[in-house]
Amino acid sequence: MTLEQLHFEPDRRPLLEVRGAGHSYGERYGCRDVSFELWPGEVLAVVGESGSGKSTLLGMLSQRLKLSEGSVRYRLGDGDVVELSELSESRVRRLWRTEWGFVHQNAADGLRMHVSAGGNVGEPLMATGWRHYGKIRAAAAEWLARVEIPADRIDDAPATFSGGMRQRLQIARNLVVSPRLVFMDEPTSGLDVSVQARLLDLIRSLVAELGLAVVIVTHDLAVARLISHRTLVMKDGRVVESGLTDRVLDDPQAAYTQLLVSSILQG
Amino acid sequence: MSTALPGYNVGYLDEQTKRMIRRALLKAVAIPGFQVPFASREVPMPRGWGTGGVQVTASIIGGDDVLKVIDQGADDTTNAVSIRSFFAKVTGASTTTCTEDATIIQTRHRIPEAVLREGQIMVYQVPIPEPLRFLEPREAETRRMHALEEYGLIYVKLYEDIAKYGHIATTYAYPVMVNGRYLMDPSPTPSFDNPKLHQSPALHLYGAGREKRIYAVPPYTDVVSLGFEDHPFEPQRFEQPCAVCGSTGVYLDEIITDDAGGVMYACSDTDHCERAAALASAHIDDLEEARA
C-alpha cells in the first residue's frame, strides 16, 4: 500500500481484519489460527504447498465456508464494520454481487460456459439492477477491451475460448461491478508461461488502476513476487511466516519458507 | 351427475392424493408464482403428456363441472380428445368445446381467445416449471435465488436473445413476474397470451407432473412480462387475418398446404374459429337476404 492511498483513504481502518480464524472439516482443521489485516489497495499473497489450507482460507474469508473459530471483520462500502459470520445469507450474497469478486482457478467454475462473453460480463450488472440493454452491452464491450479480448468475440461463448482468454473473461466479469475486494484462487496455474506473464501483467495493472484489495492464493512464488505487497506462508493449515513479500522471499525466517524458496529452480 | 366408470374412484386418483394436491394448490394460490412441491402420482399416460395438468384437474373437478381440454388451442387433437374422454369416463362430469360454457379448461399451450370470466379455472400442463433452469442447472441454487429474489440471471436470457437476433426472440415460456415477487415460467404458452394473464378474472393453475411442482396465478393478480428499458416486452403479432374465419388479432397457426411453399394461416383456437366463421357466414346470409 502506497502513501498516497493511505492519504486518500478517509477511514483508516483495515478492509478485512482476521483474528484467530479457522475452519474445520469435522474433527480436522483445514486452517487454523490465521490472523492478518488487509488494507484497501493491498495485494496479499497466500503461498504454500497443496494441502496447506490456502484454498480453505480463501473459502472461509469469502464466506463460502463457515467460520469455525475466531473472527473475520469486514469494513462495508458505507464504512460499517461487520463480523462476516453474523451476516445473513442474503447480505453475504449481496456482498458477492456488489463488493467482492472471486476468480476461480478453473474458469469454467466462474463463468457460464454457454452464455456469450458479453452476457457473462453483463450478468453481474443485471444482478445489481441494470435494465438497459444498450448500457449493459457498452459496459461489457468496454471491459472486454480492457482485458484484451477482441471486440468481435463479444457474442461467442467462452466454451470456444482458449484458457488464457477464459481467465481474462473471468477477471472482466468480476471487475465490472467495481468490487472493493477480490479473491483469486490460483488464477494463473494451468496456463502456459507466456500467457501467465500476460495475465499477471493485466492483473497487476488493473489492481493498481482500480485500487483493489486482493487476496491471491498461489503455489507459485514468482506470482507472489510479481504482484503482491505482502505474503502469508502456510503449512499444515497454519501461517508459518508473514511479512512484506520481498522480505519473506529474500530473507525467509521459517525453516519451511527457506525450503520453499530454495526449491525454486534457478535458471 | 352422470355415472363414472365403475371400479374407479371419481377423478381416477384416490381421495388422499386429491387432498394432498388440493393442499399444494391452496398453498400455490396463497403465494402467487411460487413453485410448491407435491407428490406426483402415476396416471394412465406417460409423463410429459400432461400428467401434471391431469392430476390438478382430477383434484378439482366435481360432478357439476364442465370440462374443456385443448392442445395447441385445438379441441380436436389426439391429446385433447383422449384427456377429455378420460375425464368423461372417470368423473361423469360433462365436457364441452365451448370456452364460455366451460368451468375448467385444461390446456397445453394456449389461453383461449374468448375473454375468461370469474369462476373459470385454467389448468396448464407444464413441462419445465423452473424459468431459470437452462441458465442455472442446480435446483438448490435456483430455489435459493427465488427465496432471496435474485432474478438478475433471467435477464441474461433476454440479453442473449437481443445479442443474437437484435430483439427478444423468446416467443414461448416467456418469463413473467407474478405479484411483484416471484419469477414464473408461464409454461409453454406463446408470449402472445402473456398479457391475458395480467389481472385475469380467472384462476390459473399450473401442474408439472414429471418435475413434481404446482404453482398458480390467482384472479386479479399482476403478471408482468420482463424486458429491458430499451427493449420492452412485445407480444407476437400476426400481419394477416385467419384464412378460415377472417379474425384479426388472434393467434394463428401456419398450415403448409403443398410442397411448393404454399401456406395458409388459420386460428389455433378451433372453438373461436368455428364460431367466428359461423357468425361471418350468418352475416353474409343476412346481407344477401337484405339484397333480395
Side-chain angles (χ1 to χ4, degrees):
Chain A
M1 178 161 195
T2 63
L3 279 173
E4 290 90 318
Q5 277 162 332
L6 251 184
H7 181 71
F8 283 116
E9 184 60 44
D11 193 341
R12 296 193 180 181
R13 272 179 298 170
L15 197 60
L16 204 59
E17 205 177 339
V18 184
R19 292 274 168 270
H23 174 80
S24 64
Y25 298 103
E27 297 285 288
R28 204 181 303 272
Y29 274 86
C31 72
R32 193 161 200 193
D33 222 5
V34 179
S35 302
F36 68 87
E37 286 172 358
L38 185 73
W39 293 78
E42 186 178 37
V43 179
L44 176 74
V46 182
V47 301
E49 60 196 8
S50 54
S52 62
K54 309 185 297 276
S55 295
T56 303
L57 174 63
L58 204 64
M60 192 176 75
L61 295 177
S62 61
Q63 295 293 299
R64 279 169 165 76
L65 296 172
K66 221 173 103 275
L67 193 69
S68 306
E69 59 178 32
S71 88
V72 178
R73 291 156 68 80
Y74 172 73
R75 182 158 57 78
L76 294 167
D78 58 15
D80 287 351
V81 177
V82 289
E83 177 66 49
L84 285 181
S85 56
E86 288 167 6
L87 287 187
S88 66
E89 189 185 4
S90 70
R91 287 198 67 189
V92 170
R93 287 175 69 107
R94 197 176 318 141
L95 280 180
W96 286 351
R97 287 202 301 273
T98 57
E99 298 197 6
W100 295 355
F102 198 109
V103 178
H104 294 263
Q105 174 175 6
N106 182 1
D109 294 341
L111 293 173
R112 295 189 192 279
M113 295 305 276
H114 297 286
V115 167
S116 70
N120 265 292
V121 179
E123 185 191 337
L125 297 174
M126 296 183 236
T128 48
W130 287 41
R131 294 288 180 267
H132 191 284
Y133 173 82
K135 289 179 189 164
I136 294 168
R137 186 144 177 106
E142 188 202 323
W143 267 98
L144 290 183
R146 283 178 91 160
V147 297
E148 298 165 27
I149 291 175
D152 60 351
R153 301 300 301 270
I154 187 167
D155 291 330
D156 293 347
T160 67
F161 284 9
S162 70
M165 277 172 82
R166 287 180 190 180
Q167 209 53 287
R168 279 179 278 142
L169 181 63
Q170 203 194 170
I171 287 167
R173 175 183 160 95
N174 273 287
L175 299 189
V176 67
V177 287
S178 326
R180 305 170 69 223
L181 173 58
V182 179
F183 301 99
M184 296 190 185
D185 191 0
E186 308 257 15
T188 58
S189 52
L191 302 176
D192 62 57
V193 190
S194 60
V195 176
Q196 256 190 40
R198 259 179 80 195
L199 188 68
L200 282 174
D201 206 36
L202 179 75
I203 293 175
R204 190 165 58 169
S205 61
L206 285 175
V207 163
E209 198 179 315
L210 304 169
L212 292 175
V214 179
V215 180
I216 180 168
V217 159
T218 177
H219 62 261
D220 189 342
L221 294 183
V223 170
R225 162 108 56 197
L226 262 173
I227 70 171
S228 72
H229 302 119
R230 280 195 304 135
T231 297
L232 291 185
V233 183
M234 292 193 72
K235 168 114 176 65
D236 298 332
R238 291 181 188 264
V239 177
V240 294
E241 186 165 1
S242 67
L244 293 176
T245 300
D246 287 346
R247 205 280 293 152
V248 171
L249 297 183
D250 291 341
D251 180 21
Q253 309 284 308
Y256 175 72
T257 318
Q258 290 170 0
L259 182 74
L260 205 63
V261 171
S262 65
S263 62
I264 299 174
L265 293 176
Q266 302 293 334
Chain B
M1 174 184 153
S2 49
T3 49
L5 200 64
Y8 285 91
N9 191 32
V10 176
Y12 185 79
L13 298 173
D14 62 276
E15 290 302 314
Q16 285 301 326
T17 299
K18 289 201 278 186
R19 268 194 196 175
M20 173 271 293
I21 292 173
R22 285 179 202 138
R23 277 199 296 271
L25 286 170
L26 286 174
K27 185 168 179 182
V29 170
I31 318 172
F34 174 72
Q35 299 169 43
V36 184
F38 80 109
S40 181
R41 297 285 194 260
E42 285 196 13
V43 289
M45 65 183 66
R47 290 199 164 158
W49 284 49
T51 55
V54 164
Q55 290 176 79
V56 170
T57 302
S59 307
I60 59 172
I61 197 166
D64 50 357
D65 271 315
V66 183
L67 177 70
K68 171 182 164 81
V69 183
I70 49 175
D71 182 5
Q72 301 275 9
D75 295 278
D76 53 4
T77 49
T78 313
N79 209 10
V81 169
S82 64
I83 292 175
R84 196 162 55 233
S85 64
F86 169 73
F87 279 115
K89 262 188 205 157
V90 297
T91 64
S94 50
T95 60
T96 184
T97 58
C98 174
T99 304
E100 280 86 352
D101 295 345
T103 55
I104 300 174
I105 304 168
Q106 183 173 332
T107 175
R108 164 87 174 102
H109 292 99
R110 294 295 318 290
I111 299 174
E113 306 293 354
V115 177
L116 300 175
R117 56 176 161 75
E118 280 184 21
Q120 284 186 313
I121 302 177
M122 291 289 301
V123 177
Y124 298 81
Q125 306 162 194
V126 180
I128 296 161
E130 178 51 69
L132 298 163
R133 175 60 63 241
F134 291 109
L135 296 154
E136 175 53 71
R138 293 167 294 180
E139 173 70 14
E141 181 69 12
T142 54
R143 283 212 220 179
R144 194 165 284 140
M145 290 161 105
H146 282 295
L148 300 172
E149 216 180 331
E150 287 181 5
Y151 291 140
L153 185 58
I154 195 69
Y155 287 90
V156 173
K157 178 185 158 99
L158 305 181
Y159 171 94
E160 291 286 281
D161 266 6
I162 302 172
K164 234 178 251 167
Y165 306 107
H167 61 101
I168 298 176
T170 302
T171 52
Y172 68 97
Y174 193 103
V176 292
M177 277 298 276
V178 179
N179 202 23
R181 173 61 182 85
Y182 278 98
L183 178 69
M184 190 187 92
D185 182 347
S187 175
T189 46
S191 66
F192 178 87
D193 287 334
N194 271 20
K196 295 179 188 168
L197 285 170
H198 181 64
Q199 290 290 332
S200 164
L203 169 64
H204 301 261
L205 302 176
Y206 296 81
R210 185 183 48 204
E211 303 284 327
K212 304 181 175 65
R213 294 287 184 277
I214 281 172
Y215 51 104
V217 176
Y220 302 109
T221 303
D222 284 343
V223 178
V224 180
S225 303
L226 301 180
F228 286 108
E229 287 159 13
D230 49 345
H231 287 267
F233 166 71
E234 285 199 23
Q236 286 159 281
R237 259 180 241 291
F238 298 91
E239 303 302 327
Q240 56 281 83
C242 169
V244 177
C245 69
S247 296
T248 52
V250 294
Y251 191 83
L252 300 177
D253 283 340
E254 181 187 46
I255 301 163
I256 293 168
T257 51
D258 53 32
D259 59 359
V263 292
M264 67 181 274
Y265 292 90
C267 287
S268 93
D269 186 338
T270 52
D271 170 55
H272 171 86
C273 195
E274 275 165 24
R275 281 186 293 150
L279 212 65
S281 71
H283 184 62
I284 290 168
D285 289 349
D286 286 350
L287 285 180
E288 280 171 357
E289 253 171 52
R291 201 178 300 142

